[in-house]
């Protein structure tokens, strides 16, 4: 058996030694399976795993989730303590902090030159305070990365969802204001690890990102490199695939529902949730919403434990500090995660379809944590875990994805060996870590439960073995559409017996499967304004969601390229 050092050297040779090539499917490893792979910045970001969100705005004084613009800047924010926020993040175990520098009301928490509606009109530091600057300094001194949320919507300046304005003149004026704000944030406060463009953005900012923050993770928008999970409950699905189709990535609003192991673009998932769920801002009435420790542990298992990033919101109160009870709960959570997962009983990396962990004497094990070396793509599609106990092998776990991380509770027992067997993979599996833990605590009962998610292109769903969709309102243009089925439990889906009807007339030639896929159907609509229905049989999953997106010219060109490769 190779030593740990030898295996690590082999992994390094595989993951960083080979060249990458750009193809019709994106950035790929030369000579490797045709898989989407992360950038170096995406890999580094995923290793952060846990971040802290900070929502703080005039609506903290209004008992509301949205600023109603009823308070002047000099009526709010007389004291603010960003240093305490950073200390809370450290206790939480967060590795980065994302500040909501401007929420939808338009109030700015930095010394912007673009508007008077901001912190410089407040009493704090006689109008000279800069929340972003003080937080950046506090984070840097504690080894925390810094991110920023800059809402494209701005009620103060008349910009609606995604920064869209009512007239071309108003749009041009707001575009200039927003670009100025973004430039200030990206150039004054050191490296920005993550930028939130919540709700996507119609304001052109790609040039600014390329110039000032090429390695920042971008949440939503045309330049998105990460995506929203699709719920604010704090849970990711399993499997939570890191890749998506290029057209879904380009939509700017892809969610975890769009995850596809055959996808073209690496776009990992971030789970956002508030410690006062469902409220993002502090109020005098929502202290009872403070999540208990057990709920936070559940969130961790069902987000980080499923390969997603977790961004936990910690809202300050009117003193400008995170309330003592909230900060104490954050520390309690961080302490418990560290207690459970800081020190494995044993750990090894490996290459290939079978990996072993051996113990000199029976060891009590109740959790296993798996990680792929994803630098060359998410290769594992199926796996099982066996344990040797009392002289016999027994299956103690199984799954599909491993990805960045999979936390697997197992039946507590004394094991002499653990065996990971990859049953389905694209190329040689690259296991970054196969680790065994004796946590000594039961996992949340809900750890394997499925999750209900939102997606802007969801057009219905199915239960049982039949699908029936009325697509009349969903196909307004004469075009080709891509219909994909996603199972609620992540299992593979097969469509059969397609029955596409336009004005009740069967059109079998206008519905065809995408190359190599039984879960994706391409629908060609030769004319618009007709009644369109689709019925089919479904195998492999009893419940799920149907996603429908009009295909772009670039997407159709990719399909042609795939046909040529087959």
């Amino acid at each position: 058996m190779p030593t740990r050092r030898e295996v690590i050297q082999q992994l390094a040779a595989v993951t960083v030694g080979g060249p990458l090539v750009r193809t019709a499917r994106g950035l790929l490893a030369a000579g490797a399976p045709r898989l989407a792979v992360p950038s170096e910045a995406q890999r580094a970001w995923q290793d952060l795993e846990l971040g802290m969100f900070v929502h703080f705005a005039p609506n903290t004084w209004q008992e509301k989730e949205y600023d109603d613009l009823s308070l002047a800047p000099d009526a709010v924010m007389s004291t603010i303590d960003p240093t305490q926020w950073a200390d809370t993040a450290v206790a939480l175990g967060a590795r980065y902090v994302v500040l909501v520098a401007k929420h939808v009301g338009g109030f700015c928490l930095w010394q912007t030159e673009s508007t008077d509606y901001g912190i410089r009109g407040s009493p704090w530091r006689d109008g000279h305070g800069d929340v972003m600057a003080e937080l950046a300094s506090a984070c840097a001194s504690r080894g925390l990365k810094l991110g920023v949320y800059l809402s494209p919507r701005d009620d103060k300046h008349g910009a609606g969802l995604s920064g869209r304005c009512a007239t071309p003149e108003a749009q041009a004026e707001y575009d200039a204001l927003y670009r100025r704000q973004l430039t200030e944030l990206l150039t004054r406060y050191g490296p920005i690890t993550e930028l939130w463009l919540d709700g996507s953005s119609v304001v052109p900012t790609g040039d600014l990102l390329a110039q000032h923050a090429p390695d920042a993770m971008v949440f939503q928008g045309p330049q998105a490199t990460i995506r929203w999970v699709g719920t604010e409950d704090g849970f990711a699905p399993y499997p939570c695939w890191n890749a998506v189709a290029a057209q879904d990535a380009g939509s700017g609003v892809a969610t975890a529902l769009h995850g596809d192991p055959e996808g073209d673009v690496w776009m990992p998932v971030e789970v956002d949730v508030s410690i006062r769920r469902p409220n993002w801002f502090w109020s005098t009435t929502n202290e009872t919403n403070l999540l208990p420790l057990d709920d936070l542990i559940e969130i961790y298992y069902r987000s980080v434990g499923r390969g997603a990033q977790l961004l936990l919101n910690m809202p300050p109160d009117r003193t400008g500090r995170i309330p003592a009870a909230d900060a104490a709960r954050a520390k309690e959570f961080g302490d418990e995660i560290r207690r459970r997962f800081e020190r494995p009983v044993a750990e090894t990396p490996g290459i290939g379809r079978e990996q072993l962990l051996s113990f000199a004497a029976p060891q009590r094990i109740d959790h296993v944590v798996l990680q792929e070396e994803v630098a060359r793509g998410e290769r594992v599609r199926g796996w099982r875990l066996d344990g040797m106990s009392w002289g016999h092998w027994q299956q103690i776990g199984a799954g599909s994805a491993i990805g960045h991380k999979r936390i697997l509770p197992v039946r507590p027992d004394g094991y002499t060996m653990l065996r990971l067997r990859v049953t389905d993979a694209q190329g040689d599996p690259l296991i970054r870590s196969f680790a065994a833990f004796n946590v000594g605590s039961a996992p949340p009962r809900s750890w394997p439960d499925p999750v209900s998610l939102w997606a802007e292109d969801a057009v219905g769903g199915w239960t049982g073995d039949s699908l029936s969709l009325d697509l009349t309102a969903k196909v307004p243009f004469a075009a080709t559409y891509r219909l994909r089925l996603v199972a609620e439990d992540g299992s593979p889906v097969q469509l059969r017996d397609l029955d596409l009807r336009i004005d009740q007339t069967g059109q079998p030639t206008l519905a065809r499967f995408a190359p190599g896929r039984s879960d994706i159907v391409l629908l060609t609509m030769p004319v618009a304004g007709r009644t369109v229905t689709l019925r089919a049989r479904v195998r492999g999953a009893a419940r799920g969601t149907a996603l429908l997106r009009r295909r772009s010219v670039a997407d159709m060109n990719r399909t042609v390229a795939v046909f040529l490769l087959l």
Side-chain angles (χ1 to χ4, degrees):
M1 179 179 293
T3 66
R4 177 178 176 82
R5 177 176 293 181
E6 289 169 340
V7 173
I8 292 174
Q9 289 172 340
Q10 293 174 37
L11 276 173
V14 171
T15 58
V16 301
L20 296 176
V21 296
R22 191 168 297 280
T23 74
R25 290 173 59 87
L27 195 62
L28 303 172
R34 301 179 62 80
L35 302 174
V37 298
S39 67
E40 288 293 331
Q42 286 174 316
R43 287 175 62 198
W45 178 82
Q46 286 187 271
D47 279 342
L48 299 177
E49 290 192 346
L50 176 60
M52 191 178 91
F53 224 171
V54 180
H55 281 68
F56 186 58
N59 35 304
T60 301
W61 282 258
Q62 299 166 357
E63 304 288 320
K64 296 180 178 180
E65 288 291 290
Y66 295 93
D67 182 2
D68 62 12
L69 307 181
S70 63
L71 296 176
D74 62 5
V76 298
M77 301 186 186
S78 59
T79 60
I80 307 175
D81 191 355
T83 298
Q84 187 252 1
W85 305 352
D87 287 338
T88 302
V90 171
L92 171 66
R95 296 186 177 97
Y96 64 106
V97 178
V98 177
L99 173 66
V100 179
K102 185 186 80 169
H103 200 241
V104 299
F107 190 94
C108 298
L109 292 179
W110 76 100
Q111 288 288 326
T112 181
E113 298 168 5
S114 64
T115 178
D116 292 330
Y117 193 55
I119 195 71
R120 69 190 205 177
S122 77
W124 183 54
R125 304 205 189 288
D126 296 323
H128 298 292
D130 190 318
V131 178
M132 189 73 179
E134 293 200 17
L135 182 60
S137 177
C139 286
S141 65
R142 290 160 178 76
L144 297 167
K145 306 290 186 182
L146 181 65
V148 64
Y149 173 122
L150 182 66
S151 173
R153 173 180 161 184
D154 188 322
D155 294 347
K156 183 69 173 180
H157 296 94
L161 182 65
S162 305
R164 196 178 303 276
C165 298
T167 67
E169 294 77 17
Q171 189 69 58
E173 183 176 347
Y174 182 68
D175 286 355
L177 179 145
Y178 189 87
R179 285 173 58 85
R180 185 172 188 176
Q181 291 178 341
L182 182 58
T183 299
E184 292 171 350
L185 290 169
L186 296 183
T187 59
R188 295 180 180 177
Y189 305 105
I192 297 298
T193 292
E194 181 172 333
L195 171 65
W196 265 60
L197 304 177
D198 201 6
S200 192
S201 177
V202 300
V203 180
T205 56
D207 59 323
L208 301 179
L209 293 172
Q211 180 180 359
H212 302 302
D215 292 329
M217 294 299 100
V218 181
F219 182 96
Q220 299 193 334
Q223 284 75 41
T225 57
I226 58 177
R227 58 197 153 110
W228 183 44
V229 67
T231 176
E232 294 181 347
D233 292 335
F235 310 134
Y238 181 78
C240 188
W241 301 110
N242 284 285
V244 298
Q247 189 166 8
D248 291 329
S251 73
V253 289
T255 69
L257 266 180
H258 296 97
D260 184 348
E262 304 298 331
D264 310 279
V265 178
W266 191 270
M267 185 176 279
V269 167
E270 187 168 52
V271 174
D272 61 322
V273 63
S274 183
I275 200 166
R276 294 193 173 203
R277 185 178 63 187
N279 300 119
W280 293 100
F281 288 87
W282 177 91
S283 79
T284 60
T285 61
N286 63 19
E287 184 177 2
T288 57
N289 292 348
L290 180 62
L291 293 177
L293 177 61
D294 286 349
D295 286 15
L296 292 171
I297 296 296
E298 177 193 21
I299 286 169
Y300 186 85
Y301 273 72
R302 297 176 70 187
S303 57
V304 175
R306 293 178 171 183
Q309 205 91 341
L310 174 58
L311 186 62
L312 181 64
N313 183 58
M314 302 291 299
D317 61 21
R318 292 173 188 171
T319 69
R321 294 173 58 86
I322 294 168
D326 300 46
R329 184 61 44 79
K331 182 179 186 303
E332 185 183 13
F333 170 58
D335 287 344
E336 179 61 13
I337 295 302
R338 287 184 283 272
R339 184 194 70 79
R340 293 189 183 213
F341 297 116
E342 263 193 350
R343 291 178 293 277
V345 173
E347 180 182 14
T348 186
I351 300 176
R353 290 180 175 258
E354 184 169 309
Q355 309 298 330
L356 289 174
L357 275 179
S358 299
F359 312 111
Q363 293 284 335
R364 185 187 188 278
I365 302 297
D366 55 20
H367 283 69
V368 170
V369 178
L370 305 174
Q371 289 188 277
E372 270 189 90
E373 178 47 80
V374 296
R376 287 299 183 261
E378 201 165 5
R379 298 186 173 196
V380 176
R381 307 298 170 81
W383 54 272
R384 61 175 286 174
L385 182 69
D386 303 317
M388 173 72 78
S389 178
W390 301 99
H392 299 283
W393 285 110
Q394 55 185 314
Q395 181 174 326
I396 57 176
S400 51
I402 293 178
H404 175 73
K405 179 170 282 189
R406 175 59 170 154
I407 296 177
L408 180 72
V410 300
R411 182 175 61 84
D413 205 341
Y415 297 99
T416 54
M417 280 194 292
L418 296 176
R419 178 175 63 194
L420 173 65
R421 292 195 287 178
V422 176
T423 57
D424 186 15
Q426 299 293 307
D428 290 333
L430 308 175
I431 305 303
R432 179 180 178 180
S433 175
F434 173 19
F437 292 82
N438 179 18
V439 167
S441 300
R445 291 184 178 181
S446 63
W447 75 265
D449 289 356
V451 178
S452 295
L453 301 173
W454 175 91
E456 53 87 25
D457 58 344
V459 293
W462 80 92
T463 56
D465 63 355
S466 62
L467 173 73
S468 180
L469 298 173
D470 183 349
L471 300 176
T472 304
K474 308 297 183 181
V475 289
F477 305 103
T480 299
Y481 294 82
R482 177 181 183 268
L483 179 80
R484 179 182 173 220
L485 265 58
V486 180
E488 184 180 74
D489 63 2
S491 57
V493 178
Q494 292 183 346
L495 276 165
R496 306 180 74 178
D497 304 329
L498 300 178
D499 181 15
L500 176 67
R501 294 182 175 270
I502 299 178
D503 289 341
Q504 300 184 349
T505 301
Q507 302 289 346
T509 63
L510 300 183
R512 68 188 189 279
F513 287 102
R517 302 294 294 259
S518 60
D519 59 336
I520 297 176
V521 177
L522 304 179
L523 306 175
T524 300
M525 298 293 109
V527 293
R530 304 296 177 87
T531 300
V532 180
T533 60
L534 177 70
R535 292 181 173 83
R537 307 294 291 179
V538 182
R539 295 184 61 182
R543 183 184 301 272
T545 301
L547 306 175
L548 183 74
R549 193 178 299 283
R550 183 159 60 104
R551 303 183 76 208
S552 65
V553 173
D555 190 42
M556 290 186 281
N557 287 340
R558 275 188 291 272
T559 299
V560 172
V562 172
F563 271 120
L564 293 175
L565 289 169
L566 295 176

